[in-house]
Amino acid sequence: MLEKIESLNSEAAIDSERINSADSLEEFRLKYLSRNGILNSLFEDFKNVEKESKGKVGKSLNELKLSLQKIYDNKKSALGQNESKAADTADLSLPGRTFNKGTRHLINQALEEISGIFEKIGFKVYEGFEIEDEYHNFDALNTPEHHPSRDMQDTFYIDSTGKDRKYLLRTQTSSAQIRIMEKIKPPVRIISPGRVFRNEDVSSRSLAFFHQVEGLYVDKNVTFSELKGTLNYFAGEYFGSSLKTRLRPSFFPFTEPSAEMDVECFLCKSKGCRVCKYTGWLEILGCGMVDPNVFEMVGYDPEVYSGYAFGMGIERTLMIKHGVPDIRLFYENDIRFLKQF
Ligand code: DAH
């Protein structure tokens, strides 16, 4: 038994030289140290060793055990160090890791695109306030307290006890017209994108808020035909220049005359479809010549200045353009929806 232990010592020393990988280390462990390995079988045999030799054999058996364990531990830690060294060095030949970038929200894309179209022809972006007072949202826009058009826009009022004015969430970006005219003298040429709020029932077609883009141009001798020209330019850029547009008479308290603009249905190319309700036209915005009363409210002389204004909703147009069936999809932040744009 002593001889056997002796020869195993030298065999293990030779085997240990060959350990250069995790696999060969494991081989070593299986051969010597595992449950069915040589060491355990020696301990089994040890039971049969005669009494008088037990001391000597036991000692060398224990020494063998320690030295095998030591070989294993040393090799293991040496291999581990090499491994971590390798991990520290970057492999420059590996392909780069791609990560998901977010995209701009469809609505922001539209607000930017529309603003950009007007910026190209000299309009400046001016953002008004989402929390407004009644004066800027209604009164100064020629919509006094009992004016019936207030009923068209169900308003969220804010508790304004103790305040000098009644505050509300703006129902239209038109309030930005007043804000800018109070600030600067003509010429004024602004485009104002933003969110507006109305107390409406939530459904697939309406929410309590949506987005609008407002435009205003005031100078000497601004005419209705300039309004028409500008809006045709916009429709050409945004919807495609092959589509026809038309203006229909309408009513807004802050413009006189007022009109609504339709663009040929870009889905059916005016043949008539469900979306355009078989009329061949889609309504895209309201517009008109700024009412002289509005100029008086901001201290512009209506005898000297004239101007046009227009305002359009964003969600509805986007729904038509991209076939989005439910307005709530814009705000649910479902990545599968957002990723498509
Ligand atoms: N503020 C109107 C609305 O929310 C839209 C509008 C119509 C804006 C005519 C204008 C305009 O500037 O001239 O329904």
Side-chain angles (χ1 to χ4, degrees):
M1 179 111 187
L2 276 175
E3 276 163 34
K4 207 171 175 188
I5 292 173
E6 191 62 32
S7 84
L8 273 173
N9 255 322
S10 28
E11 191 180 331
I14 295 165
D15 283 348
S16 79
E17 293 299 317
R18 292 204 207 102
I19 299 177
N20 56 8
S21 65
D23 283 347
S24 46
L25 178 70
E26 180 61 3
E27 246 171 60
F28 183 90
R29 191 188 67 80
L30 287 174
K31 180 170 173 186
Y32 295 101
L33 296 164
S34 63
R35 202 148 53 86
N36 299 322
I38 291 173
L39 197 62
N40 265 356
S41 74
L42 283 179
F43 275 104
E44 282 296 315
D45 297 346
F46 180 67
K47 288 176 194 153
N48 309 324
V49 171
E50 292 131 30
K51 245 191 181 155
E52 27 313 353
S53 315
K54 267 214 153 102
K56 216 167 172 204
V57 175
K59 191 163 171 256
S60 42
L61 193 53
N62 269 328
E63 279 166 5
L64 175 67
K65 183 184 168 188
L66 287 177
S67 102
L68 288 172
Q69 191 62 51
K70 201 167 162 191
I71 293 173
Y72 178 79
D73 290 344
N74 288 344
K75 288 287 176 185
K76 190 177 175 183
S77 75
L79 281 174
Q81 268 168 15
N82 283 344
E83 251 167 44
S84 66
K85 232 186 242 160
D88 285 346
T89 347
D91 179 353
L92 299 181
S93 67
L94 285 174
R97 246 180 241 148
T98 55
F99 48 90
N100 280 336
K101 270 193 287 173
T103 53
R104 293 189 73 68
H105 193 281
L106 178 59
I107 289 177
N108 280 337
Q109 287 180 33
L111 293 178
E112 274 176 24
E113 184 183 352
I114 294 170
S115 302
I117 291 172
F118 285 101
E119 280 177 293
K120 274 204 270 183
I121 54 167
F123 282 76
K124 290 266 176 296
V125 173
Y126 167 76
E127 287 185 40
F129 307 123
E130 288 184 357
I131 295 179
E132 260 301 358
D133 53 49
E134 212 174 19
Y135 175 80
H136 289 87
N137 194 81
F138 288 126
D139 302 337
L141 284 161
N142 200 31
T143 319
E145 199 169 342
H146 299 293
H147 198 287
S149 80
R150 284 207 192 193
D151 299 340
M152 287 161 32
Q153 305 186 353
D154 289 315
T155 310
F156 286 115
Y157 283 92
I158 295 169
D159 180 6
S160 313
T161 0
K163 302 265 172 13
D164 52 341
R165 282 189 173 165
K166 239 174 158 176
Y167 287 88
L168 45 79
L169 297 178
R170 69 172 172 195
T171 61
Q172 48 187 352
T173 43
S174 304
S175 53
Q177 291 185 31
I178 305 300
R179 291 273 169 197
I180 191 73
M181 288 192 284
E182 282 175 344
K183 249 195 219 172
I184 60 171
K185 294 268 149 274
V188 177
R189 202 189 263 126
I190 56 117
I191 192 86
S192 191
R195 187 176 279 210
V196 300
F197 305 83
R198 291 184 195 177
N199 191 359
E200 280 178 30
D201 290 340
V202 172
S203 74
S204 63
R205 299 185 56 83
S206 67
L207 279 174
F209 56 85
F210 58 99
H211 291 78
Q212 288 187 330
V213 175
E214 189 83 13
L216 172 72
Y217 174 40
V218 184
D219 206 344
K220 287 176 183 155
N221 305 317
V222 176
T223 64
F224 196 91
S225 63
E226 281 171 271
L227 168 63
K228 199 173 164 186
T230 306
L231 292 179
N232 277 340
Y233 153 77
F234 161 73
E237 293 279 304
Y238 192 60
F239 297 103
S241 52
S242 59
L243 294 173
K244 285 196 207 106
T245 59
R246 73 176 183 191
L247 287 170
R248 275 180 296 106
S250 184
F251 170 80
F252 299 101
F254 36 86
T255 43
E256 184 58 39
S258 302
E260 274 171 308
M261 188 178 194
D262 298 338
V263 61
E264 244 184 317
C265 179
F266 41 76
L267 296 175
C268 63
K269 299 277 180 290
S270 82
K271 282 192 200 73
C273 67
R274 222 158 47 93
V275 175
C276 63
K277 302 201 181 80
Y278 301 97
T279 62
W281 296 95
L282 295 168
E283 179 202 319
I284 55 163
L285 54 80
C287 61
M289 301 305 290
V290 180
D291 193 294
N293 288 343
V294 173
F295 282 148
E296 272 169 14
M297 296 300 259
V298 295
Y300 285 8
D301 186 347
E303 298 295 322
V304 179
Y305 296 109
S306 57
Y308 62 70
F310 55 87
M312 63 189 100
I314 301 304
E315 279 82 343
R316 211 185 68 90
T317 315
L318 286 176
M319 287 170 76
I320 296 169
K321 200 168 171 177
H322 298 290
V324 177
D326 191 317
I327 192 170
R328 290 168 287 199
L329 285 164
F330 289 119
Y331 299 102
E332 280 167 359
N333 279 339
D334 185 330
I335 209 92
R336 291 166 303 179
F337 173 75
L338 297 174
K339 259 198 339 212
Q340 297 175 58
F341 309 103

